[in-house]
Amino acid sequence: MTGTANLKPTESELEILQILWEKGDCTVRDVHEVLEKNKDAGYTTTLKLMQIMHEKGLVARDTSAKTHIYSALINQQKTQQHLVNKMIDNVFNGSAARMVIQALGNHKASKDEIDSIKKYLDELSNQ
């Protein structure tokens, strides 16, 4: 498995990884159908991206059947942690608080999300 320190998935690769993390093993067609719902993506573009992702070690490809099956090789949580840490360091000068404030100021959080954040903060302050 590839170490997260070396990962540099592009935005398009992250979209594909999100689909694989959510659905599990998929064909290119499966991934393409999900991508097509939100953006104008050609099948051959999706295929090429997934081939590149295989070369980079982001996904595995099972070629034992006529239709190739792809699966994510990298862990969703570790990838998210790596990208968030990178963003905190590079965009928010090391301040997690500034990132959280920016995120909450730019996106409407649901009551459940706010309750979850409050619960997490309470647990942190009780440690």
Side-chain angles (χ1 to χ4, degrees):
M1 189 176 294
T2 304
T4 53
N6 299 328
L7 297 181
K8 293 184 181 174
T10 65
E11 187 174 327
S12 295
E13 290 170 345
L14 283 170
E15 289 174 344
I16 291 170
L17 284 168
Q18 288 284 4
I19 294 165
L20 293 173
W21 288 328
E22 183 180 324
K23 293 184 161 294
D25 298 352
C26 291
T27 64
V28 174
R29 173 79 47 213
D30 297 333
V31 171
H32 177 68
E33 287 174 358
V34 175
L35 288 175
E36 238 181 356
K37 293 177 185 175
N38 298 318
K39 66 189 229 178
D40 187 23
Y43 176 84
T44 55
T45 302
T46 304
L47 172 63
K48 185 63 178 170
L49 271 170
M50 293 179 76
Q51 289 171 338
I52 291 168
M53 292 171 72
H54 178 257
E55 291 169 14
K56 289 172 77 173
L58 298 173
V59 297
R61 179 174 60 202
D62 179 355
T63 59
S64 61
K66 182 181 177 189
T67 304
H68 297 178
I69 304 293
Y70 288 81
S71 57
L73 276 179
I74 59 174
N75 178 280
Q76 182 177 12
Q77 185 175 355
K78 286 181 181 177
T79 302
Q80 289 171 341
Q81 285 173 340
H82 171 73
L83 293 172
V84 166
N85 287 339
K86 204 169 150 184
M87 183 181 294
I88 290 169
D89 291 342
N90 296 336
V91 179
F92 296 97
N93 203 27
S95 174
R98 285 179 38 203
M99 188 189 81
V100 170
I101 291 167
Q102 182 73 32
L104 291 174
N106 288 343
H107 299 287
K108 177 96 171 102
S110 70
K111 181 174 178 355
D112 287 344
E113 288 173 321
I114 292 171
D115 289 344
S116 178
I117 292 166
K118 286 179 182 176
K119 181 180 175 198
Y120 182 72
L121 291 174
D122 286 343
E123 289 170 4
L124 282 177
S125 60
N126 290 331
Q127 289 181 350

